[in-house]
Amino acid sequence: HFARAGCRWKQLSKLQRSLILLVLVICGMASYPIVTEHLRGTAPVIKHLMVRGRSHYEKPQANHKGKLSNSEASCLEAVQKAFLHSWKGYKDFAWGHDELRPLSKSYSEWFGLGLTLIDALDTMWILGLKEEFEEARSWVATELTFNKNVDVNLFESTIRILGGLLSTYHLTGDTLFLEKAKDIGSRLMPAFNTPSKIPYSDVNIGKGTAHPPRWTSDSTVAEVTSIQLEFRELSRLTHEPKYQVVVSEVMKRVHKLEGKLDGLVPMFINTNSGQFTHQGIYTMGARADSYYEYLLKQWIQGGMTENQLLADYLQAIEGVKKNLLQKSSPNGLTFVGEITHGQFSPKMDHLVCFLPGILALGAHNGLPTDHMDLAKQLMETCYQMYIQMETGLSPEIVHFNMHQGSVQDMNVKLADRHNLLRPETVESLFYLYRFTGDHKYQHWGWKILQNFNKYTKVSSGGYTSINNVRDPDYPSPRDKMESFFLGETLKYLYLLFSDDPNLISLDHYVFNTEAHPLPIWPSAT
């Protein structure tokens, strides 16, 4: 629809275009949905006005309940096409390797375990791409081995590989994936052999040894507290308590530690002493983010019976509200900053955009209704992080303006202008749409998908991360397609565009932090 609209715009005379632009300017941005309804074909120009305008601000579409101009089927098909285009690049140039480098038509290795393929298994199943799935399954059956002399990151291999195999097993019932999950799960266990029971960051899955990074004996708090869903589920399936025991011990120890700020945790923890280190920095972004996510999700996974997890989560959200929430100038966007040694910093990672979805998920499960109110405010901010950029794609980090007289809400430093095809904003859009039914969240996701197609799609196959979201003429491609683009970003877009609440029902599944759905445990009778 949008492509055809663009064609119609180009067919208009110069006078017609000028008149339409004049109407748009007079009507103002608030009337944008109505204008576009009558003048199909102005979308590219409206976008141009929005991002080049003085304030760079697109007013939220108040209570916009209208459905996408595209049918649900065509939106879902657009995601399937994006996936198949990505898969073509991976299959042609990186098959069986970790990540595609789409520009150089080659690949990069991280662990040497077919990371993209494993991460994408359940996405293919959910998208109904059975032929591609069967081809990938065959690789898992005949080529995938974990008996390798290779160091892997405990957290990344847990959320991507163990999580991906467990979810694929649940969706398909195919025991091949459970057997592979048991294999990798058992090989990750040496990470927990530390003086403090806080796991090392790295494991050699062939030798059965583990160690911290070369430069420190610390692990990041997010990493050691975001492996629980997967190990707990592995214990439930295998009837071997050891997996759940080691990860539950981590949560118990972190729960008792001093050094928190109103439930907010520092970013590092020492594997020898078991104490927080590098204290004084509190963030909902990198190195802490998924700690909060897994407090809530473990509570949901376990049937909402583990009250200590819930208490820690609720305290942390109050800590966010008390210490990290501020509003930008001039448009009053609610954002989540950071505390650095007592000083507030208006810095917000794109990673923080997981938070609207988590808040909404909590509210859906009976937590305070003001969590949903905050979720909606932060969702608007995360969308603005996209639409205020010239490419319509969010940078990795934004700094918000707080002083009166600002003409734009956010600044982006040169070093922070990259986009890695991250999923967090579309992930939260999915939750907000599921729980509110407000179609504006689908509209926002559609725009984001269109901008991924416009600025990151590589013609020979695959999508690439880019270095500069502020330069639409040359966004400076990085030549890398992260596995999470297939594992998370496209999966959440597909689920966002689906109007079937039973397609991975949020009353029956909880998503790990890599978007792999795991079952909510049946209540004990």
Side-chain angles (χ1 to χ4, degrees):
H1 291 267
F2 289 162
R4 289 203 300 275
C7 291
R8 291 193 191 111
W9 173 256
K10 289 171 188 172
Q11 290 164 2
L12 297 175
S13 71
K14 199 168 183 180
L15 176 61
Q16 287 172 313
R17 294 191 203 184
S18 301
L19 287 170
I20 290 169
L21 283 171
L22 183 61
V23 169
L24 285 170
V25 172
I26 292 169
C27 291
M29 297 315 298
S31 60
Y32 157 55
I34 302 158
V35 174
T36 49
E37 188 61 36
H38 292 289
L39 302 172
R40 302 158 196 241
T42 57
V45 178
I46 293 169
K47 177 184 159 194
H48 180 78
L49 286 173
M50 288 190 295
V51 298
R52 304 278 181 188
R54 177 175 164 80
S55 73
H56 290 270
Y57 184 69
E58 180 192 352
K59 289 288 184 187
Q61 300 168 3
N63 198 29
H64 186 52
K65 296 284 184 182
K67 288 195 174 184
L68 284 167
S69 57
N70 307 43
S71 69
E72 177 193 355
S74 64
C75 290
L76 296 175
E77 185 182 349
V79 181
Q80 287 174 327
K81 284 181 177 175
F83 184 95
L84 289 170
H85 185 77
S86 305
W87 194 248
K88 178 187 185 303
Y90 179 73
K91 187 177 168 185
D92 288 350
F93 310 121
W95 184 252
H97 298 285
D98 282 346
E99 290 167 333
L100 169 66
R101 299 183 62 205
L103 294 171
S104 55
K105 300 180 181 178
S106 60
Y107 59 84
S108 58
E109 295 287 38
W110 193 1
F111 309 141
L113 297 173
L115 207 54
T116 292
L117 187 149
I118 296 173
D119 228 357
L121 285 166
D122 57 4
T123 305
M124 285 183 273
W125 187 266
I126 291 166
L127 269 58
L129 303 174
K130 295 304 194 302
E131 185 179 323
E132 290 74 18
F133 177 86
E134 286 302 328
E135 203 170 14
R137 183 204 180 277
S138 176
W139 183 88
V140 171
T142 59
E143 302 291 331
L144 178 61
T145 175
F146 299 124
N147 188 21
K148 283 187 171 182
N149 178 15
V150 60
D151 277 5
V152 303
N153 177 276
L154 170 67
F155 165 71
E156 297 289 358
S157 49
T158 297
I159 65 170
R160 302 189 198 212
I161 299 173
L162 178 57
L165 292 169
L166 287 172
S167 67
T168 306
Y169 163 67
H170 279 296
L171 293 175
T172 65
D174 188 336
T175 55
L176 166 69
F177 301 107
L178 178 57
E179 292 307 312
K180 294 290 185 183
K182 290 179 189 175
D183 189 10
I184 187 64
S186 64
R187 291 173 184 272
L188 293 173
M189 286 294 280
F192 297 92
N193 295 334
T194 71
S196 66
K197 307 298 184 191
I198 300 297
Y200 291 129
S201 61
D202 295 278
V203 193
N204 187 304
I205 54 174
K207 291 182 176 177
T209 57
H211 58 87
R214 282 186 292 278
W215 58 91
T216 179
S217 56
D218 292 344
S219 291
T220 69
V221 172
E223 291 191 358
V224 302
T225 57
S226 307
I227 52 181
Q228 281 67 18
L229 292 178
E230 300 83 357
F231 276 87
R232 283 158 49 111
E233 178 61 14
L234 189 58
S235 271
R236 191 177 76 93
L237 290 173
T238 62
H239 307 290
E240 294 184 46
K242 62 182 181 181
Y243 303 111
Q244 181 164 354
V245 167
V246 290
V247 294
S248 296
E249 182 66 24
V250 175
M251 297 308 297
K252 289 175 190 169
R253 289 180 181 247
V254 171
H255 166 72
K256 294 175 185 173
L257 283 182
E258 295 182 358
K260 297 176 189 169
L261 174 68
D262 300 316
L264 305 176
V265 293
M267 297 190 292
F268 296 97
I269 188 166
N270 189 273
T271 52
N272 293 319
S273 68
Q275 301 296 313
F276 290 132
T277 60
H278 301 85
Q279 295 191 39
I281 301 176
Y282 302 94
T283 175
M284 295 298 283
R287 300 193 174 96
D289 50 356
S290 46
Y291 161 72
Y292 306 103
E293 177 187 355
Y294 269 40
L295 285 174
L296 177 69
K297 287 182 173 179
Q298 286 177 80
W299 176 69
I300 293 172
Q301 178 191 43
M304 297 186 279
T305 60
E306 297 157 286
N307 292 330
Q308 195 62 75
L309 295 165
L310 176 62
D312 285 352
Y313 173 76
L314 290 171
Q315 185 189 12
I317 298 305
E318 291 307 306
V320 170
K321 290 195 268 189
K322 178 180 175 183
N323 299 287
L324 303 183
L325 274 190
Q326 291 286 352
K327 287 191 182 291
S328 68
S329 179
N331 289 300
L333 297 175
T334 302
F335 70 93
V336 179
E338 298 181 355
I339 295 286
T340 305
H341 305 297
Q343 297 296 310
F344 181 81
S345 166
K347 167 181 176 282
M348 180 168 160
D349 294 359
H350 181 271
L351 289 167
V352 179
C353 288
F354 84 95
L355 188 55
I358 294 305
L359 288 165
L361 180 63
H364 175 71
N365 282 283
L367 301 191
T369 55
D370 70 332
H371 286 205
M372 181 60 89
D373 297 334
L374 180 56
K376 291 176 181 177
Q377 292 174 41
L378 291 174
M379 189 75 263
E380 167 68 27
T381 302
C382 289
Y383 178 61
Q384 292 297 331
M385 287 166 65
Y386 281 75
I387 217 66
Q388 292 193 30
M389 299 302 120
E390 286 77 357
T391 58
L393 293 173
S394 173
E396 182 76 354
I397 298 170
V398 157
H399 286 78
F400 284 88
N401 288 318
M402 294 172 61
H403 53 273
Q404 294 303 312
S406 299
V407 295
Q408 56 187 27
D409 292 275
M410 53 188 87
N411 293 316
V412 188
K413 297 180 179 179
L414 277 172
D416 301 333
R417 293 186 176 187
H418 49 288
N419 181 292
L420 304 182
L421 312 172
R422 285 200 188 277
E424 287 77 21
T425 292
V426 295
E427 169 185 358
S428 285
L429 287 171
F430 157 63
Y431 283 108
L432 268 290
Y433 178 65
R434 273 282 175 99
F435 297 140
T436 69
D438 191 334
H439 290 284
K440 77 177 178 186
Y441 299 119
Q442 290 183 318
H443 282 263
W444 295 357
W446 178 252
K447 283 190 184 179
I448 291 169
L449 176 59
Q450 294 300 98
N451 290 325
F452 277 137
N453 281 332
K454 185 171 183 179
Y455 294 106
T456 72
K457 190 175 183 178
V458 179
S459 59
S460 55
Y463 288 69
T464 180
S465 47
I466 57 175
N467 271 318
N468 193 350
V469 298
R470 307 225 72 162
D471 187 349
D473 297 321
Y474 185 65
S476 183
R478 280 190 160 196
D479 194 23
K480 187 174 185 180
M481 185 176 77
E482 302 273 358
S483 81
F484 54 64
F485 183 63
L486 300 188
E488 300 186 72
T489 308
L490 292 179
K491 182 187 295 159
Y492 280 129
L493 280 166
Y494 190 84
L495 292 169
L496 166 65
F497 296 144
S498 170
D499 284 326
D500 179 4
N502 294 315
L503 182 63
I504 316 297
S505 164
L506 293 173
D507 294 321
H508 296 110
Y509 288 95
V510 61
F511 285 89
N512 86 337
T513 197
E514 190 74 8
H516 298 305
L518 300 172
I520 296 171
W521 298 348
S523 300
T525 52

